[in-house]
């Protein structure tokens, strides 16, 4: 079963294309663009006649795709007004992971869509930082604002596991990704270095 990566700018049709994968499909909408993706300009051509169920975030993560061709779970990005303390990321990630595992185990589900994997990875990073902050709070130690470079191995492994699990379960996995600006450090003639200069290239 294939793993497909769809990369592009906002509004370029990544999400719409993702949901044309073999049915039945279960999707996880992290960037809240699923309604536009399904009901936009490609609706009549790609989605008319299909039963599409959208499930808002909340409550127990229960599989609801039995009667639908496409089921889209709207994921909630935690709202954190505190500039340091992360709360809610672990709860959202556990909710997602439970449904992802159930979709993998259901023979009726042929395709899983993660839209976007870029945001899913960011939430997993926040969830790990939340765990680090919880431990610091319990030990009455200073609160960390960000992960150390070496600590990104944990969330990176968690995202990699999503791909490996889909392959092991013989599921089609479609992951959409945002692009970002390439930035480089440019040495100046006076020996100084200008950091983070945009090159004009867009990268995954």
């Amino acid at each position: 079963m294939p793993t497909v990566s769809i990369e592009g700018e906002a509004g370029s049709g990544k999400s719409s294309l993702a949901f044309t994968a073999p049915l039945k499909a279960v999707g996880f909408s992290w960037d809240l663009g699923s309604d536009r993706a399904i009901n936009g300009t490609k609706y009549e051509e790609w989605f008319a006649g299909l039963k599409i169920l959208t499930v808002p975030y909340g409550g127990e993560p229960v599989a609801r795709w039995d009667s639908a061709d496409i089921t889209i779970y709207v994921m909630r990005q935690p709202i954190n007004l505190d500039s340091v303390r992360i709360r809610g990321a672990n709860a959202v990630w556990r909710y997602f992971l439970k449904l992802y595992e159930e979709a993998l185990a259901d023979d009726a589900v042929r395709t899983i869509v993660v839209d976007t994997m870029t945001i899913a990875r960011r939430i997993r990073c926040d969830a790990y930082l939340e765990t680090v902050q919880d431990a610091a709070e319990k030990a009455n130690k200073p609160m960390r604002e960000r992960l150390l470079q070496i600590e990104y191995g944990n969330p990176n492994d968690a995202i990699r596991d999503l791909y490996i699990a889909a392959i092991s379960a013989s599921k089609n996995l479609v992951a959409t990704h945002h692009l970002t600006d390439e930035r480089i450090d440019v040495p100046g003639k006076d020996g100084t270095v200008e950091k983070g200069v945009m090159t004009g290239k867009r990268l995954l």
Side-chain angles (χ1 to χ4, degrees):
M1 295 293 176
T3 298
V4 178
S5 173
I6 303 176
E7 306 151 18
E9 303 292 351
S12 60
K14 299 185 303 297
S15 303
S16 298
L17 182 60
F19 284 107
T20 64
L23 305 175
K24 146 183 337 245
V26 174
F28 299 94
S29 178
W30 289 95
D31 69 355
L32 309 181
S34 58
D35 184 65
R36 183 182 68 250
I38 297 295
N39 297 308
T41 57
K42 292 293 186 180
Y43 175 79
E44 290 296 333
E45 182 180 353
W46 290 352
F47 304 114
L50 297 180
K51 182 168 183 184
I52 300 168
L53 175 65
T54 300
V55 183
Y57 178 84
E60 287 296 313
V62 178
R64 299 180 185 176
W65 48 75
D66 286 348
S67 61
D69 298 304
I70 299 174
T71 303
I72 302 172
Y73 287 87
V74 178
M75 306 306 299
R76 186 191 71 184
Q77 296 183 50
I79 299 172
N80 286 291
L81 300 180
D82 190 306
S83 61
V84 176
R85 189 65 163 104
I86 300 292
R87 298 188 189 278
N90 267 313
V92 175
W93 186 257
R94 285 193 297 267
Y95 178 93
F96 160 69
L97 209 57
K98 175 72 163 49
L99 289 166
Y100 191 90
E101 290 170 348
E102 288 198 33
L104 288 176
D106 192 333
D107 291 338
V109 176
R110 297 178 64 193
T111 299
I112 297 174
V113 176
V114 180
D115 182 34
T116 66
M117 192 67 83
T118 305
I119 296 178
R121 179 185 177 274
R122 191 178 76 215
I123 297 298
R124 183 63 189 91
C125 289
D126 284 348
Y128 189 63
L129 178 57
E130 183 181 9
T131 299
V132 171
Q133 290 181 340
D134 287 346
E137 190 172 63
K138 192 173 292 185
N140 199 26
K141 292 183 178 179
M143 192 72 64
R144 292 252 305 279
E145 294 186 32
R146 58 184 59 86
L147 296 176
L148 303 175
Q149 191 62 40
I150 194 172
E151 291 174 322
Y152 281 96
N154 182 287
N156 288 342
D157 286 345
I159 296 300
R160 190 177 298 113
D161 287 346
L162 299 179
Y163 288 89
I164 293 171
I167 294 169
S168 298
S170 297
K171 302 292 184 187
N172 301 303
L173 174 62
V174 183
T176 66
H177 301 271
H178 293 150
L179 297 178
T180 189
D181 292 307
E182 181 184 50
R183 294 174 182 270
I184 61 172
D185 295 342
V186 178
K189 293 180 180 179
D190 59 354
T192 61
V193 175
E194 187 176 356
K195 294 184 175 294
V197 178
M198 290 193 293
T199 66
K201 293 182 181 179
R202 300 284 281 166
L203 303 174
L204 176 63

